[in-house]
Amino acid sequence: MNKGKVIKSKFYSLIKRLSPRLQGLISSAMSVGALKIGAGTYIHRTVQITGKSSMYIGENTVVGGGCWFNVNYRNNEEYSIEIGSNSFIGRRNFFSSGKKIVMGSYVLTANDCHFIGSSHNIENPMVPYLLSGTTSKDIIHIGHNVFIGSGAKIVGDVHVGHGSVIGANAMVLSDVPPFSIVTGNPATIRKRYSYVRKEWLDIMNYQISDENSLPSEEDYHEHLQQAYAKIPMPYIAADAEMGNCR
């Protein structure tokens, strides 16, 4: 072992003797600058991120107070959690990535939303679940301009299509088609948007011609960028310390 590795090993041995609180503070200080964010993005000071170097946030995005981003598997070649531009992440949102969590641009999440792409292994109940390790195969993909209501949960290997709305307290366990409104536990499609008729339709009235009229995610994103290049962010909603409105 070379001299550098010996010093590094001794340094980490010393850190492990400290209290958990001091270990966390030192780890946080050492990771300053590791998180990559775009211009104009605001992250509240109470946000916790474990695995900063494996996370990216785009431009003009706000992350509200009390959120926790937990990167379980850190791949130096690609990001494990990606959030696009012009998005607002509400207070106390929880992200736990398996293989990856990808969130598009113009996404709005209300308070207390959960994105659970990784869980603890449960194959062997003779091992404490705290020590059993976590799963790593699931990918959560949230398309552009998705609104996720308060308390909603996206769990497992799930793709939520662009332009969709997830109702409050919904439990999303399977894919959601583009331009859908889903509610309930488990989440069920209630309505789809028709570009032909320019309205949300009950699922029973939705036809193949309505489906075929929908724009692709790429075209939809291009439309949003052209029409709303940089949207004003409601910073005051990020946390109580940001102030009060009349």
Side-chain angles (χ1 to χ4, degrees):
M1 183 180 294
N2 60 40
K3 185 176 180 181
K5 288 185 177 180
V6 170
I7 294 174
K8 186 175 181 180
S9 177
K10 288 182 178 180
F11 174 72
Y12 282 108
S13 294
L14 288 172
I15 289 178
K16 289 180 179 179
R17 298 177 186 175
L18 301 175
S19 69
R21 172 63 175 164
L22 287 175
Q23 289 185 46
L25 290 173
I26 292 173
S27 176
S28 179
M30 291 172 63
S31 65
V32 169
L35 176 64
K36 297 176 179 61
I37 62 174
T41 284
Y42 171 79
I43 301 173
H44 191 265
R45 63 179 180 80
T46 60
V47 173
Q48 181 182 10
I49 303 173
T50 54
K52 290 182 178 180
S53 61
S54 296
M55 181 173 166
Y56 172 79
I57 303 176
E59 300 179 357
N60 193 43
T61 286
V62 172
V63 181
C67 290
W68 180 19
F69 296 86
N70 182 31
V71 178
N72 289 289
Y73 294 90
R74 298 159 197 185
N75 186 341
N76 294 329
E77 297 180 358
E78 59 181 18
Y79 297 115
S80 296
I81 299 179
E82 297 181 42
I83 296 176
S85 301
N86 289 300
S87 293
F88 185 93
I89 309 302
R91 304 182 196 183
R92 300 178 302 277
N93 279 208
F94 174 52
F95 293 72
S96 182
S97 66
K99 186 174 183 179
K100 179 174 283 194
I101 296 176
V102 180
M103 180 174 283
S105 296
Y106 303 94
V107 172
L108 169 62
T109 76
N111 295 343
D112 302 303
C113 296
H114 292 180
F115 303 86
I116 305 173
S118 179
S119 181
H120 283 261
N121 290 315
I122 59 172
E123 285 82 4
N124 185 0
M126 305 309 292
V127 175
Y129 297 125
L130 185 61
L131 305 177
S132 64
T134 54
T135 60
S136 61
K137 61 183 179 63
D138 289 343
I139 297 175
I140 293 176
H141 183 105
I142 310 296
H144 300 300
N145 197 36
V146 171
F147 172 34
I148 302 175
S150 178
K153 295 176 175 59
I154 317 295
V155 182
D157 196 46
V158 172
H159 185 118
V160 177
H162 51 289
S164 292
V165 177
I166 309 300
N169 294 316
M171 177 72 78
V172 181
L173 303 174
S174 57
D175 290 353
V176 176
F179 297 96
S180 298
I181 295 177
V182 302
T183 63
N185 180 4
T188 302
I189 301 172
R190 308 297 182 182
K191 294 185 177 183
R192 301 286 306 276
Y193 187 76
S194 169
Y195 260 53
V196 175
R197 292 180 262 186
K198 304 300 180 186
E199 62 178 324
W200 290 98
L201 301 174
D202 290 336
I203 194 66
M204 65 182 65
N205 296 324
Y206 199 75
Q207 301 177 3
I208 188 64
S209 58
D210 299 307
E211 177 74 33
N212 292 336
S213 73
L214 296 177
S216 67
E217 186 164 20
E218 293 75 17
D219 290 343
Y220 186 54
H221 189 211
E222 184 177 350
H223 157 73
L224 292 170
Q225 288 180 309
Q226 290 178 354
Y228 307 96
K230 183 178 181 180
I231 61 177
M233 281 291 158
Y235 295 99
I236 199 166
D239 194 86
E241 72 178 22
M242 304 299 287
N244 296 303
C245 293
R246 289 184 178 180

